[in-house]
Amino acid sequence: MWSACWEPKSEPGLYQPLQLSTNYSNMKKSFKQVSQLISQMTVDEKIAQIGSYWIWELQTKGTLDESKLSEKLGHGIGQITRVGGGSYLSPTQTAKLGNRIQKYLVDETRLGIPAILHEETCNGTMVLGGSVFPVPISLAATFEPRLAEEMTLAIRKQMLAIGGRQALAPVLDLGRDPRWGRIEETFGEDPYLVGRFGVHYVRGLQGDDLAQGVMATGKHFVAHSLSMGGLNCAPVFVGPTILHNLFFAPFQAAIQEAGIATIMNS
């Protein structure tokens, strides 16, 4: 389990969006803070916390639009999607833009709750100039799961440098149909191998203490890759035996062994 709390950094204008801890006493304190915040929230503020905006929805011609901040983030927001990956900004510019958004949320909204900034990290942080590693199916061909952990240690550093605290990876789908257009995002067809790589991927991203790590996101729960005709997001027809014995297995490993912080539904 993990808990979340936040506080402004001492440096002017820079904010730490999320402080995460596996320490029970910290969790208890954080849950109390969250409960207090929820008790103060209006319905609109609660709805805003389960929503997200793409970074380009807050921009005009590639530049942050202050009028859109007040228009769209007046009640706060839960997440901002791909500050780096959804723009053409350098890592430094991405960090500055994320800080500006967080400053608005903390200073200009009623409850001052910062957002979670998330990015894609399947085989590297999706930001201009980010390191590009082998795609997961190529990485899995090495049969060396520890390489996934070494890769995500590097990804974690780059994510933290730009203010990203949630990574939309790893893909824990099984690559059972080569027609599926996202087959390269998987660690292959074997549930055990996918589970091993998934566990190490998560450990590298999150570390031993999420206060110093990045939340991993297991996806897509579940059997998303077994869609009809190999078409992404097409219907899936699968029986309970195959579902439980094969497709649940990598998610079970990532949850029980690595303590993965978040799961994305298919």
Side-chain angles (χ1 to χ4, degrees):
M1 294 181 67
W2 58 271
S3 61
C5 62
W6 63 268
E7 61 180 6
K9 278 188 173 180
S10 57
E11 298 92 337
L14 296 179
Y15 291 85
Q16 184 73 20
L18 197 64
Q19 301 265 343
L20 297 166
S21 175
T22 53
N23 181 279
Y24 180 75
S25 61
N26 288 342
M27 288 170 61
K28 190 173 182 180
K29 178 182 176 183
S30 298
F31 289 149
K32 183 177 180 180
Q33 291 174 326
V34 170
S35 297
Q36 290 173 342
L37 276 174
I38 290 175
S39 69
Q40 300 175 52
M41 282 180 165
T42 65
V43 172
D44 286 336
E45 288 168 337
K46 291 176 181 177
I47 292 172
Q49 286 301 312
I50 59 173
S52 178
Y53 280 109
W54 282 85
I55 186 58
W56 47 262
E57 294 182 274
L58 304 175
Q59 295 175 309
T60 298
K61 296 182 178 180
T63 302
L64 186 66
D65 190 326
E66 298 287 338
S67 66
K68 289 182 178 179
L69 287 183
S70 57
E71 174 191 347
K72 298 178 183 294
L73 307 186
H75 295 296
I77 195 68
Q79 302 215 6
I80 302 294
T81 300
R82 302 186 200 174
V83 179
S87 68
Y88 299 101
L89 300 176
S90 69
T92 299
Q93 292 170 323
T94 297
K96 288 180 178 179
L97 178 56
N99 282 334
R100 176 66 191 95
I101 294 170
Q102 300 288 31
K103 189 174 191 306
Y104 173 85
L105 290 169
V106 171
D107 291 347
E108 304 297 331
T109 62
R110 190 175 73 90
L111 295 176
I113 304 172
I116 297 172
L117 310 183
H118 67 249
E119 300 283 353
E120 293 282 359
T121 65
C122 194
N123 62 309
T125 304
M126 187 184 287
V127 63
L128 189 66
S131 299
V132 179
F133 298 93
V135 293
I137 201 165
S138 297
L139 191 66
T142 67
F143 290 87
E144 292 284 355
R146 62 179 177 78
L147 294 177
E149 190 166 344
E150 291 180 18
M151 178 181 76
T152 50
L153 279 169
I155 291 173
R156 185 211 303 184
K157 292 177 182 177
Q158 294 188 358
M159 282 284 286
L160 294 176
I162 63 172
R165 297 310 296 262
Q166 181 174 7
L168 302 187
V171 171
L172 299 175
D173 295 306
L174 302 183
R176 288 291 175 114
D177 187 344
R179 297 174 300 175
W180 191 50
R182 302 177 63 177
I183 197 77
E184 81 285 353
E185 295 182 42
T186 75
F187 291 113
E189 65 179 358
D190 182 77
Y192 180 77
L193 185 67
V194 173
R196 292 300 87 209
F197 271 90
V199 165
H200 281 275
Y201 191 106
V202 172
R203 286 175 178 168
L205 266 181
Q206 297 188 170
D208 296 326
D209 184 354
L210 269 173
Q212 307 301 322
V214 173
M215 290 185 291
T217 306
K219 62 184 187 182
H220 307 82
F221 192 78
V222 62
H224 182 68
S225 58
L226 203 63
S227 51
M228 287 185 64
L231 299 175
N232 195 42
C233 297
V236 172
F237 296 95
V238 60
T241 300
I242 297 295
L243 196 65
H244 284 79
N245 289 348
L246 299 181
F247 287 91
F248 280 160
F251 290 92
Q252 182 180 22
I255 293 167
Q256 292 184 346
E257 297 182 43
I260 193 168
T262 63
I263 297 290
M264 182 190 296
N265 290 334
S266 58

